[in-house]
Amino acid sequence: MRARVFSGMQPSGNLHIGNYLGALKNWVRIQQEYECIFCIVDLHAVTVYQEPAALRAKIEEIAGLYLAAGIDPQVSAVMVQSAVPEHAELAWMLTCVTPVGWLERMTQYKAKAAKQESVGDGLLQYPVLMAADILLYQAAIVPVGDDQAQHLELTRDIAQRFNSLYGETFVMPATSLPSVGARIMGLDDPQVKMSKSETGAGHAVGLLDPPDKARKAIMRATTDSAPGVDFDNLGPGVANLLTIYQAFSGWTDDQMRKHFAGMRYGDLKKQVADVVIAHLEPFQKRYREIMGERGYVARVLAESAFRVRPLAAATVELAKRRMGLYTAE
Ligand code: TYM
């Protein structure tokens, strides 16, 4: 039996090249090797207010982006979290074995909570629901970007605690990070990661941005005052541009050094823009084709949910038995 893979993205904000290079690109690469489930985590999105009509549209947009990137729905499941109610059900059981202190230590929680006047309980519970997503399918591998590594550690802690209290129940999931592109930084500020919730012009390159907008953002990216690329002394902005190039091109470190050493920043940016746009254009064409086929995405989502539901139900049944909750004999 092939090992199972689970990962997901929130349907909030616009997916950008960081989401693609940190996660989606890896998903496409490994889908033939593993049994993959790729989720659109709408229950996570509503931990902060989402305008309902926009959220509904965003869910199908994200599914369309997964498919345009090359996820094959004949091979992998592409499903929406709230279509499988066992996610929320298992989350409750896991909540009951999770100390609040573990959740209060999460850096993403601290960052998001600092931006709110009143912090919703969902924001604190967020990583427990994420643990439920993964453990529900007994996933062995979770391909994500670097910012999710702490949540994955917590997932293992929660699984371990449940297993030691109630007996072996959950597979321990491993984190899988890409070797290049695990943390793409903001183009306008290379000290912060590129983020969906950051809407300033010039911060990110969105996967659906028109090519001229993408080029403009890259040409305006923050660098430093050195005359050209010095691999022994790379500033964060230049390092980020090189990472973006390397992740899109698949070049080795050696190829990168030979080609870019000493290059002036203006030329570097032009080449980064070229490689990004060369990938975005065919991607956006596929996206338009997929979304143009009426009812196609909805069908993929329905079929995938139908396929994975029995896996989720089996785990919930097992967890209930372990805990002594009521199950039909
Ligand atoms: P989300 O929606 O913020 O991001 C989706 C994926 O993109 C990666 N990512 C990045 N990678 C590189 N550079 C960046 N600047 C960058 N920004 C985002 C993220 O690491 C992620 O892999 N909590 C998750 C969603 C989730 C999930 C799960 C993931 C819910 N349940 C179960 C895996 C397994 C999130 O908010 O991702």
Side-chain angles (χ1 to χ4, degrees):
M1 213 179 77
R2 290 182 302 167
R4 199 168 290 147
V5 164
F6 182 93
S7 199
M9 299 203 188
Q10 290 193 69
S12 56
N14 293 326
L15 287 204
H16 50 64
I17 57 171
N19 299 122
Y20 177 72
L21 298 175
L24 193 46
K25 184 165 176 274
N26 235 356
W27 301 359
V28 175
R29 191 175 57 79
I30 63 178
Q31 65 175 335
Q32 304 295 341
E33 201 177 326
Y34 300 102
E35 182 191 343
C36 296
I37 302 171
F38 299 119
C39 192
I40 296 130
V41 294
D42 54 348
L43 295 172
H44 276 106
V46 294
T47 54
V48 294
Y49 177 79
Q50 306 291 331
E51 204 276 303
L55 176 61
R56 187 68 184 72
K58 204 61 167 178
I59 292 169
E60 291 205 357
E61 177 187 305
I62 306 283
L65 289 171
Y66 286 4
L67 299 173
I71 300 297
D72 178 354
Q74 302 297 328
V75 175
S76 307
V78 174
M79 43 91 54
V80 182
Q81 190 182 30
S82 66
V84 177
E86 283 82 0
H87 286 254
E89 204 177 352
L90 184 63
W92 176 254
M93 295 181 226
L94 299 180
T95 290
C96 296
V97 303
T98 306
V100 178
W102 289 5
L103 302 176
E104 285 170 340
R105 275 203 295 276
M106 294 292 108
T107 50
Q108 288 208 347
Y109 167 72
K110 286 194 277 192
K112 284 187 191 168
K115 288 190 202 153
Q116 321 266 320
E117 255 176 53
S118 140
V119 178
D121 187 24
L123 214 49
L124 186 65
Q125 296 295 316
Y126 181 110
V128 184
L129 178 60
M130 182 164 160
D133 297 340
I134 296 162
L135 302 178
L136 188 59
Y137 299 102
Q138 307 286 12
I141 301 164
V142 184
V144 285
D146 172 68
D147 62 336
Q148 297 302 317
Q150 193 188 33
H151 287 159
L152 264 293
E153 272 168 42
L154 181 81
T155 299
R156 288 187 287 273
D157 288 343
I158 293 173
Q160 223 141 34
R161 193 167 167 115
F162 190 101
N163 285 354
S164 68
L165 279 171
Y166 295 113
E168 275 308 303
T169 306
F170 298 117
V171 168
M172 222 39 77
T175 308
S176 166
L177 301 178
S179 52
V180 179
R183 179 177 284 261
I184 301 297
M185 309 308 280
L187 294 171
D188 56 345
D189 179 1
Q191 306 294 341
V192 302
K193 71 162 186 181
M194 190 175 280
S195 155
K196 276 192 249 131
S197 51
E198 188 64 61
T199 51
H203 171 75
V205 173
L207 293 180
L208 294 175
D209 281 355
D212 57 333
K213 186 173 175 208
R215 184 176 297 279
K216 211 158 145 193
I218 293 167
M219 294 309 292
R220 282 179 35 199
T222 303
T223 48
D224 51 58
S225 55
V229 178
D230 174 2
F231 279 93
D232 297 325
N233 196 11
L234 284 180
V238 175
N240 192 40
L241 289 170
L242 290 166
T243 298
I244 292 170
Y245 191 96
Q246 187 171 15
F248 271 110
S249 66
W251 282 12
T252 61
D253 290 350
D254 237 32
Q255 285 173 303
M256 290 296 293
R257 274 177 184 267
K258 279 209 184 89
H259 186 78
F260 286 109
M263 189 181 283
R264 290 180 16 208
Y265 292 159
D267 295 332
L268 164 67
K269 287 176 175 177
K270 193 173 162 306
Q271 296 202 14
V272 173
D274 288 345
V275 80
V276 170
I277 291 166
H279 281 79
L280 286 193
E281 276 179 336
F283 176 87
Q284 293 177 359
K285 183 165 172 281
R286 280 195 300 277
Y287 176 78
R288 284 192 294 270
E289 284 163 8
I290 287 162
M291 300 309 271
E293 202 179 320
R294 255 183 91 83
Y296 174 64
V297 169
R299 212 161 54 238
V300 167
L301 293 175
E303 282 170 9
S304 293
F306 184 76
R307 226 160 68 213
V308 302
R309 183 98 195 256
L311 306 173
T315 306
V316 161
E317 175 82 11
L318 176 66
K320 283 174 85 174
R321 276 181 201 280
R322 291 276 196 265
M323 293 181 91
L325 295 168
Y326 195 70
T327 54
E329 283 312 315

